Amino acid sequence: MQILKSLRVKPWLPVEFEQQTSQATGLLNKEKAASTALHFLLAVITVIFFLFTVTFLQRTQSFDFQALSGEPWLPFTNAEILWQNSAYLLLASISIMLAKKFAERQSLSAIMISLAATTLFTLLFISGQIQVWLQLNQSGFYITTNPANSYYFLLTGVHALHIIGGILVFMRCILLFAVNRSYQQLVSRLKLCARYWHYLFFIWLFLFFLLTSDADTFKTIASICGF
Amino acid sequence: MTIAIVIILLVIATLIFHFVSPWWFTPLASNWQAIDDTINISLWVVGTVFVAVNLFLAFVIIKYRHNKDRRADYEPENSKLEAWLTVVTTIGVAAMLAPGLVVWGEFITVPENSEIVEAVGQQWHWSYRLPGKDGKLGKTAIKLITEDNPFGLDVNDINGSDDLLVNSNELHLLIDQPVKVLLRSKDVLHNFAVPQFRVKMDLVPGAITNVWFTPTKLGRYELLCEELCGIAHFTMRGFIKVDSASDYQTWLASLPTFTQTLTRDSANIALGKQLYAGCAACHGINGQGNEAMGAPKVAGLSRWYLQRQLHYFKEKIRGQNSADLYGQQMAAMSVLLADNKAITDVSAYLSALIPTKKSPFEKTSSENTLVTGGDAIKGKSLYKNCAYCHGEHAQGHYAMNAPKLAGQHAWYLKRQINAYQQGIRGTHPADLYGNQMVLMSKILHDQQAVIDVVSYINSLPNVK
Amino acid sequence: MTKMENVAIADQVDESSHPTTFMSKYIWSQDHKVIAVQYSITAIAVGLVALVLSGMMRLQLGFPNEFSFIDPSSYLQFVTMHGMIMVIYLLTALLLGGFGNYLIPLMIGARDMVFPFLNMLSYWIYLLSVLVLLASFFVSGGPTGAGWTLYPPQAILSGTPGSGAGILLMLISLAIFIVAFTMGGLNYVTTILQARTKGMTLMRMPLTLWGIFVATILGLLAFPALLVSAIMMIFDKVVGTSFFMPAILSLGQTLEHSGGSPILFQHLFWFFGHPEVYIVALPAFGMVSDVISVHARKNIFGYRMMVWAIIAIGGLSFVVWAHHMYVSGMNPYFGFFFATTTLIIAIPTALKVYNWLLTLWRGNIHLTVPMLFAIGFIFTFTHGGLTGLMLGNVIIDLPLSDTFFVVAHFHMVMGVSPIMVLFAAIYHWFPLLTGRFLNNKLGKFHFWGTFLGTYAIYLPMHYLGFLGVPRRYYAMGETDFIPESAQTLNAGITVSAIIVGLVQVVFIFNLIWSTFKGKKSGRNPWQATSLEWQTAQFPPGHGNWGKQLPQVYRWAYDYSVPKVKDDFIPQNVAPRDVEYLTDDKNNNQRDK
């Protein structure tokens, strides 16, 4: 508990001077700074999805809630297409990690391929998600028909927006690399991008589980959470 | 230095203001003496702290104001003092919190002998429902709400058939009888608050909330909505009348059950036509109105509105003010309608009359000057406040208790707006919704504004 | 830059890259000081709009039926826009976007924020959110009149003014604001954590930074709740989902919604809304601590306790939200929990007040304009905090909630008090920005007008609340329980409010006039120890520090240290450079 200890320091005492300065080196590590910022950003994103989830779980217990799986006619009883989308996102996550590895080794062509793969798989994921939306609409599961549908569109939409935001930042990394050809910067940037992709992948898995659960699962979760 | 003296003076002024102020809680009329006591305890605690902290502040400023020959102390902290202050503060806070929580415990424990009443809120009025003989309220649903079933009761629920319905702003309660008020909203959030009773609670659409209290003083208390509910929030008032046992029984006996409200309303239009013959001298054979007689157009008005106004005239609620000449005439004439049945029949007849078209309807000279003197464009922007209830086309709306205005004579509209503004109409305690117009009509600040809005209404097509 | 790792902060800015053109220097600037000024000017400008709006609604309340341009719709619209602008677009933006931006890099000894481009983006997106908000005044139906809490269903139904384009623009503007805030907030937090100069440990930071730091974290974690509720409400309004909408009528018409929960929105809103109070209050607490310490020439009393209190208040602020909802119809048993947590939060808050008083105790108090405002703050904050103890106590809230007592309470505690600190801070740090003092005479006039005027507004307003006058009422009309004299009281409040409003014109004049014609202040005019006053160039230029970053040797409160010659030792003075008194008399002589 370093932080608690440092909060108990009496800063006016010269005795503790040496110990205090050792903590503040006066050196700025840009990568570490960006990493701190990313962690806070992920915390913000976590709060967003956490709050959505809490409202969702509460809503699953209302009388008009019809889960999206559990019965043969419900769209996600067979969630094959969602598994496929998950695979795309997983592949994107892996390829971005590979890109980082290749960047460390400075092998340009491998970097190009893996970056292209990341872009491709991420876009495939987005288009796959849009496919699901269209299918839901075609089979009469409109956004307003049922709260489960509303939450499906809402949560996947918000998730997709985060992915798109990620792509924009990712594109900027590539652009900057194209301009200054600094492998070192590319590595540290890809490291952060990879972390973001992994994190959104896990959020997606969580949403996948949450949105395609059947009524009984919701009942169990809700009773555990005390709704 | 000045600042220290000012702070001392402010503390003294605050205390004087507090003790001399005539502005204080209205006298309690319920069992919640405990709430008042908790407030008094808290006020003494916070008042003492307020005085102590600020007098100390002033003292410190005076004592340690700048002096170039003196240096400030160097004292980074004093753990003992800080610990001591923490403990004292904690004790003070606990002393305030504990009685508060005890009383809250009482507030959320409804006594078993409480009677149940339902208060229903909607934009922007109140109505009430009592469980009737079986002591149970029937089921309701929003989608069942219609003009004939404003409470949205389920006809298939046996518990609902004997529910007593109070389709008015005024609820009666029995003195010294604990009552649990179930709160239901048809549209937005409202709040059930009677300052004399101290307690209040929100009405939440989609849920039933409740609040309990025991009225302990006879009287008539104003019920306020205290949760912002839209433009006419401030006019959403009701009344709670606390009755003695006998008065309360009389009131109960006057209430219709749900079943009765569904069946009692069979009007006879033919009879209504015969009865109207006595009215036609002033209101015209087609109900078109006559300015010379001061008689408004009555054809094509909503039945519920005509019924309510005829009741008002007959029961001396409207047309009693000495400044209301035409109203007094109408109050006198209303004796021609012998009973409720007659009122129902004639109202049904008139509302079924096809309203005269705009063009053949002759404008009187004063009407022309009225309308030409008005600026309908200005009137339109003023009318947007009226449109919430009376409708975009001034077509009226039963759910808002707002009569149709389109097609009515301009001189009549002007006279009525003025009557509301001057308290000639709408101020009688039994005029349920008149007070809303009294409050609302004041947004027309001068005669020109009245004329503007009237001329805008006059320009609207008379649609059904 | 070839090497990524461990670059000395001193090398962060390439000296040749100073912006040269007007556009890059003042408009598309990435310098935190310019961005701070941009934030401040925008926030103050939009705050003036909100001030005028409050004047309008006071006119209606004080003199009903006198002003024909205020009808019930516009009254509610004024109330709503006044509240939202003041809380979010003025206070949050000015305290964090303005003062946070200006002071963080200077106080920790950095050249700039860690992500200057993101910082610039943050401002422009904030400006966009303000413009979207103001645009709602010009759409059909006008801005929303749903009250600043925007409670559904009312906010999006036609019985409320501005329920069409108005509410949508409001929600969109909030979402944009949150994006801007998140960009800025990530910057502030990261800069404080990663870019402190050598020797600047967390516990050596001035309390201003602690306040801003914790408030920013609160903002980062609390604003998402507002974002979530805004998004869901936009869906309810535009798409027709039923997140917050149960089966419902609107002006007598049945709508297609079913099953949603309006109380859910209130929980989300206040999960944001209560921390928001501390997002505003904590930076104010920090800044006022520093102002008091500097102008009393004494170290802040109980620095560690002050830091812990800031952290404790920040943490507790996430578990008190439902004290805004005692009469909302939520589960009544929540009342016990939230009343208890609410009163617990009073303890660290009270300790802060004690410590301010104990800082003044045995100080050497210079009654400068910043100090006057700080003392005024202690008075108003004590008052507002104590009435908060009453409202937090669940049973007392029953008769008082939704009355003017609540309005008076939160204006004392989160309106007047932070504003007093903002003024103290502006008078205190203005020389750092411009090299000139604000005019002292005008400043004193401004202080007395604001301090006495606001107390004359809000003290009587509590008593309207005791009477039971509900808030958000366009007009009271005639009632049995409110005496005629309450109208006189209301009129008096309005007169005070207008005076306070006019006094602010003097302040704006002072700001503009002193920027160009004010008395030159010279370096470090208040003889403060903290780093922002120790820059090589005064006022600090681009990059803040000359060739070399300062090194910090001590905490920020070495005032009147015994046996030391000067009554303050700046943070960057090494122990070996401190001049000690050899003989008291001689040294005193030499000083003069």
Side-chain angles (χ1 to χ4, degrees), chain C residues 81-125:
Chain C
M81 297 305 271
H82 163 78
M84 197 58 108
I85 291 176
M86 285 298 192
V87 173
I88 309 259
Y89 299 86
L90 170 69
L91 287 174
T92 310
L94 185 52
L95 281 161
L96 295 176
F99 280 92
N101 246 319
Y102 200 85
L103 293 175
I104 291 171
L106 281 168
M107 279 187 159
I108 61 167
R111 296 216 181 271
D112 205 321
M113 289 289 176
V114 175
F115 312 110
F117 180 75
L118 202 61
N119 206 18
M120 178 188 81
L121 218 53
S122 164
Y123 168 71
W124 289 104
I125 296 178

Side-chain angles (χ1 to χ4, degrees), chain A residues 172-191:
Chain A
R172 182 169 168 266
C173 293
I174 298 177
L175 211 71
L176 285 173
F177 176 67
V179 173
N180 65 13
R181 287 299 172 95
S182 158
Y183 284 102
Q184 205 176 351
Q185 284 189 10
L186 184 68
V187 171
S188 61
R189 287 192 175 121
L190 284 182
K191 211 166 161 184

Side-chain angles (χ1 to χ4, degrees), chain C residues 42 45-50 53 81 85 89 127-139 142-143 166 169-170 173:
Chain C
T42 314
V46 73
L48 287 175
V49 173
L53 293 177
M81 297 305 271
I85 291 176
Y89 299 86
L127 183 65
L128 176 67
S129 77
V130 169
L131 293 177
V132 171
L133 182 79
L134 294 181
S136 70
F137 279 101
F138 304 99
V139 295
L169 285 174
M170 169 64 85
S173 166

Side-chain angles (χ1 to χ4, degrees), chain B residues 171-356:
Chain B
L171 172 70
H172 291 230
L173 292 176
L174 179 57
I175 189 165
D176 293 329
Q177 165 64 48
V179 57
K180 178 185 187 184
V181 186
L182 298 177
L183 303 168
R184 175 161 70 98
S185 169
K186 290 186 197 171
D187 38 39
V188 302
L189 298 168
H190 299 285
N191 183 296
F192 181 95
V194 181
Q196 288 88 344
F197 296 162
R198 301 295 188 261
V199 289
K200 62 169 67 109
M201 191 53 71
D202 275 5
L203 285 69
V204 183
I208 306 285
T209 53
N210 69 74
V211 62
W212 84 269
F213 55 87
T214 311
T216 54
K217 255 196 220 166
L218 295 177
R220 189 167 184 267
Y221 306 104
E222 195 158 356
L223 165 66
L224 302 151
C225 172
E226 295 199 2
E227 185 67 64
L228 181 56
C229 60
I231 177 161
H233 171 50
F234 69 107
T235 69
M236 185 168 165
R237 322 275 177 98
F239 288 95
I240 307 281
K241 192 161 180 297
V242 179
D243 278 346
S244 62
S246 60
D247 288 350
Y248 186 68
Q249 288 309 325
T250 321
W251 178 72
L252 273 189
S254 73
L255 296 176
T257 65
F258 175 51
T259 321
Q260 284 167 345
T261 62
L262 289 181
T263 52
R264 67 172 173 176
D265 249 11
S266 54
N268 187 330
I269 290 186
L271 273 177
K273 186 172 183 179
Q274 290 174 18
L275 284 165
Y276 181 70
C279 319
C282 295
H283 287 283
I285 197 79
N286 294 317
Q288 75 273 34
N290 181 345
E291 186 184 8
M293 310 300 293
K297 184 163 125 180
V298 286
L301 286 175
S302 304
R303 188 169 132 190
W304 52 265
Y305 178 70
L306 290 166
Q307 265 174 284
R308 188 158 74 219
Q309 295 307 318
L310 288 170
H311 272 292
Y312 284 173
F313 281 119
K314 198 166 162 57
E315 285 154 26
K316 303 198 186 333
I317 294 165
R318 184 176 169 190
Q320 297 303 301
N321 193 302
S322 57
D324 186 5
L325 292 178
Y326 297 111
Q328 285 175 326
Q329 284 178 16
M330 185 61 205
M333 292 304 282
S334 64
V335 296
L336 289 180
L337 300 168
D339 52 14
N340 277 346
K341 178 80 176 73
I343 288 178
T344 312
D345 290 346
V346 79
S347 303
Y349 167 69
L350 286 173
S351 69
L353 270 184
I354 311 289
T356 43

